[in-house]
Amino acid sequence: MLSGGSVWGTLLILSCALKLSLTQDEHMNNALRLMSETPLIDGHNDLPWQLRMKFNNQLNKVDLYTLNNTHTNIPKIREGRLAAQFWAAYVPCDTQYKDAARQTLEQIDVIHRMCMKYPEAFMFATSSKDIVDAFSQNRTASLIGVEGGHSLDSSLGTLRTMYHLGVRYLTLTHSCNTPWADNWLVDSGAEPSQHNGLSEFGKQLIFEMNRIGMLIDLAHVSENVMNQVLDLSKAPVIFSHSSAYAVCPHKRNVPDDVLRKVQNKKGIVMVNFYNDYVTCSNTANLSQVADHFDHIKNVAGHSIIGFGGDYDGVGRVPGGLEDVSKYPALVAELLRRGWTDAEVKAALGDNLLRVFREVEHVNSLKGTAPDDLPIPYEEVKNDCRTSYGYPVPNPDSAGTILSLSPLALLKLNG
């Protein structure tokens, strides 16, 4: 038989447990309410790369309702209240100087086809208005971000063509330097700097992205590139999937001084869930992801924060955030920590919509002519690249002629 003290102690424990459960339910209910009012926009998901690696982009061989070996499928998207997603058109760095542009076009194509195959679930989107419209229709707005400047093959014409195909952000580098920008590995010492940030062509590209209205993504770039772009760009910038360096000192994350510059530029940092960027170790949990949200808010305000899960692009995700169905749990955790409704709505989607609208506004620069000055040939010369259009010395005159193949020269002289 329990003594009187034991009974009261047991009742007190049960009462505390019930109160905690009710409080947790209240936070989750509030999270779901806020997510029904404001679209959750995630900055980066690599499902298209999984479609390539698992099915070689053959969508007839996959059912996104039953696919169960990825972080992302349609039931998980719906459970997670994922209202808008930037799908990554990613190809690895070893395609650079080879077939990066072709493979990137194929990744853009598979995103289009995914939306066409599942129109009840996905709405292809290219604007801030499209995101809002899709949300009103209970469909996931599906946008494209090209992850890595190597996909452009150092061509402004390719950049513009990808924009016409629906691409709305470009990550300037992946984990390799391009002929015009340094990547984050430069800061780790794993790769040498080639440009001390951006080359002159890299600066041209920033202005052309402003002109056409494409979001500039600084995830994966060196710190010099971060600072140079923040100084150069006429529009706000994004980090589509990066976290806070002060919380986890990994060079893929964003230092505090850069966070403040993002605030001044009215940009956004969309927090990455990859364990290695959350805790700088193999393990992490949901609360530790929330620590990054708190830190960014404390340093630069809630107006620069967003979600950038990096699902299906990483091998390790935190406990409690195992797949895209788990977003509401993170939102509930922010509420438990005292975030206001307005702050949560800003992080969910209002911040990204504001940035996107400003980039679209700066797009008024498109009244100016496209930049058609190509990158200097000596900066991209390699065995897999021809030089058509570039001037070469004419041995018979002081002038120049268009560069032609040996066969074309024979035809010209014949």
Side-chain angles (χ1 to χ4, degrees), residues 41-59:
I41 305 170
D42 184 274
H44 195 88
N45 184 298
D46 279 294
L47 178 63
W49 183 245
Q50 295 299 322
L51 296 176
R52 175 179 282 274
M53 296 305 292
K54 296 179 186 299
F55 307 101
N56 203 17
N57 284 350
Q58 297 173 86
L59 287 185

Side-chain angles (χ1 to χ4, degrees), residues 10 117 196 211 233 284 312 361-362 384:
T10 301
K117 182 174 180 180
N196 193 30
R211 190 191 69 84
S233 178
D312 281 311
H361 174 71
V362 172
C384 295

Side-chain angles (χ1 to χ4, degrees), residues 55-104:
F55 307 101
N56 203 17
N57 284 350
Q58 297 173 86
L59 287 185
N60 61 309
K61 293 187 176 181
V62 59
D63 183 347
L64 288 184
Y65 282 96
T66 59
L67 181 68
N68 61 9
N69 59 350
T70 56
H71 296 141
T72 313
N73 63 27
I74 291 172
K76 291 174 183 175
I77 286 171
R78 289 174 171 167
E79 185 177 350
R81 272 62 170 185
L82 182 55
Q85 181 67 67
F86 281 90
W87 303 107
Y90 159 78
V91 299
C93 280
D94 61 5
T95 64
Q96 184 163 220
Y97 308 122
K98 300 172 187 174
D99 56 353
R102 173 184 63 80
Q103 290 208 34
T104 302

Side-chain angles (χ1 to χ4, degrees), residues 233-382:
S233 178
K234 294 179 171 62
V237 303
I238 71 170
F239 287 81
S240 68
H241 57 306
S242 297
S243 297
Y245 184 85
V247 179
C248 166
H250 193 291
K251 294 299 184 181
R252 269 284 282 107
N253 288 336
V254 188
D256 283 358
D257 62 317
V258 176
L259 290 175
R260 295 185 187 98
K261 291 186 76 169
V262 173
Q263 180 187 27
N264 292 336
K265 184 64 74 171
K266 296 182 170 54
I268 187 171
V269 176
M270 308 179 87
V271 175
N272 193 311
F273 299 171
Y274 182 34
N275 290 357
D276 298 48
Y277 305 158
V278 174
T279 61
C280 292
S281 70
N282 290 340
T283 61
N285 59 46
L286 180 152
S287 178
Q288 291 166 319
V289 174
D291 290 343
H292 284 265
F293 280 79
D294 277 345
H295 180 81
I296 295 171
K297 186 178 78 160
N298 291 337
V299 169
H302 69 272
S303 65
I304 76 159
I305 306 172
F307 292 72
D310 208 1
Y311 281 117
D312 281 311
V314 296
R316 295 181 289 272
V317 291
L321 289 170
E322 291 81 5
D323 57 51
V324 299
S325 71
K326 306 298 185 180
Y327 288 107
L330 179 54
V331 176
E333 173 65 12
L334 297 179
L335 291 168
R336 187 191 70 78
R337 292 176 177 221
W339 284 50
T340 67
D341 286 6
E343 290 171 340
V344 168
K345 286 186 169 188
L348 283 172
D350 286 348
N351 288 339
L352 190 281
L353 285 172
R354 171 184 49 76
V355 170
F356 204 170
R357 287 166 181 150
E358 182 59 25
V359 169
E360 291 167 338
H361 174 71
V362 172
N363 185 22
S364 60
L365 290 168
K366 69 183 179 182
T368 61
D371 185 344
D372 58 5
L373 180 65
I375 190 169
Y377 183 65
E378 59 271 17
E379 295 180 16
V380 289
K381 184 177 180 179
N382 64 75

